[in-house]
Amino acid sequence: MNHLPPAIFLMGPTASGKTALAIELAQRLPVELISVDSALIYRDMDIGTAKPTPAELAAAPHHLIDILDPTERYSAAQFRTDALRLMAEITARDKIPLLVGGTMLYFKALEEGLHDLPSADPALRAQIEADAAKLGWPGMHARLVDLDPPTAARLSPNDSQRVGRALEIVLATSKPMSAWLAEQTSEPLPYQLTKLALMPERPVLHERIAQRFDAMLNGGLIEEVAALRQRYALSLDLPAMRCVGYRQVWEYQDGLYDLDELRNRGVYATRQLAKRQVTWLRGMTDIQTVLASTSLTALAASLKQQRQH
């Protein structure tokens, strides 16, 4: 018999409906929600992150939302520490931790533990930064595609921090990050996991992404970014401003392109994010796919039964 306490992962690409499903499940199961989203951690970034509304948060409070200013940084290691603490507290209250979001790196770090990768090489990183100043980070990402295809497939071309780190590792050791990770022993999460994935069909997901980005623009995303730039000492190098939509609005505000191009770039970047998230999900094991037609009553009953066993 498995004596580990239960926990639920609810994962999926952006705009797949995770928040709505999590709130529905919270009405039917004794769960507490933990956000697994590297954008929702930031205060004052509400529209472009599709943050749950005050009404939704009142119905189903989420942990790890609005915990940092947009000028701050947050790592997978910090997330794992925070999530493990919260999961223990939730379990002690005889509730089930329900972790919901789309930051797959956080889910992986939580489930498997953190890997002991080679230490940083400041001189090599400085050279990588100099190359990036000439080629741009998409150009550096293209280099990573040649050197470490599995890692490149899950990283955004504009994710300077992670692309730079992956290049640093392969150039310093002649072994790609994906190979380092594959060789490391895991540190299993001490919970009986149920892993759910919302995976809409691609045309449906693409339509949702377009509709949601249009709603963000109509709902004040441009004004939100303007207010952030006025309130905080921000730059495009900060993780907060690498969130999909924010970089595109920033560049629009700087006159690099017009509103139509902003819309097209925002939708495209969101679709690329969703593609990377789906790639992560397809590489994970023991996942139950949840469809739009899945009965919530049946799903809740199934989860209750798993808890009893």
Side-chain angles (χ1 to χ4, degrees), residues 288 297-307:
Q288 302 177 38
T297 300
L299 178 60
S302 173
L303 292 169
K304 285 181 181 177
Q305 186 176 27
Q306 291 176 40
R307 188 190 188 201

Side-chain angles (χ1 to χ4, degrees), residues 36-48:
V36 187
D37 192 303
S38 60
L40 296 186
I41 60 174
Y42 294 115
R43 304 182 188 100
D44 299 320
M45 292 175 58
D46 301 332
I47 298 170

Side-chain angles (χ1 to χ4, degrees), residues 166-183:
L167 282 170
E168 179 186 331
I169 288 172
V170 68
L171 293 174
T173 67
S174 299
K175 185 165 73 173
M177 178 185 284
S178 54
W180 280 97
L181 297 179
E183 292 175 1

Side-chain angles (χ1 to χ4, degrees), residues 117-133 135-181:
L117 293 172
S119 58
D121 184 330
L124 180 55
R125 186 55 190 256
Q127 181 58 55
I128 291 170
E129 296 277 356
D131 290 347
L135 300 176
W137 282 108
M140 302 301 286
H141 182 268
R143 184 180 295 180
L144 185 63
V145 170
D146 293 333
L147 296 171
D148 186 358
T151 300
R154 62 178 178 79
L155 296 181
S156 166
N158 287 311
D159 191 341
S160 58
Q161 182 178 359
R162 294 192 176 99
V163 170
R165 176 62 172 145
L167 282 170
E168 179 186 331
I169 288 172
V170 68
L171 293 174
T173 67
S174 299
K175 185 165 73 173
M177 178 185 284
S178 54
W180 280 97
L181 297 179

Side-chain angles (χ1 to χ4, degrees), residues 60-76:
H62 290 52
H63 299 282
L64 299 185
I65 285 183
D66 291 337
I67 61 172
L68 296 178
D69 286 343
T71 52
E72 299 178 269
R73 297 175 184 268
Y74 191 70
S75 68

Side-chain angles (χ1 to χ4, degrees), residues 14 39 45 47-50 156 158 209 212-213 216-217 220-226 228-229 236 239-253 257 261-271 273 276:
T14 187
M45 292 175 58
I47 298 170
T49 63
S156 166
N158 287 311
I209 286 170
R212 192 176 71 171
F213 196 75
M216 289 175 177
L217 290 175
L221 177 57
I222 294 172
E223 292 79 7
E224 179 173 87
V225 175
L228 287 167
R229 296 179 70 173
L236 286 178
M241 291 299 102
R242 290 202 299 267
C243 294
V244 168
Y246 288 88
R247 171 182 292 275
Q248 289 76 22
V249 171
W250 182 300
E251 292 174 344
Y252 159 77
Q253 291 175 335
Y257 34 76
E261 183 69 8
L262 160 60
R263 191 265 182 188
N264 292 337
R265 285 173 178 256
V267 170
Y268 176 77
T270 310
R271 287 179 177 177
L273 170 61
R276 294 191 299 274

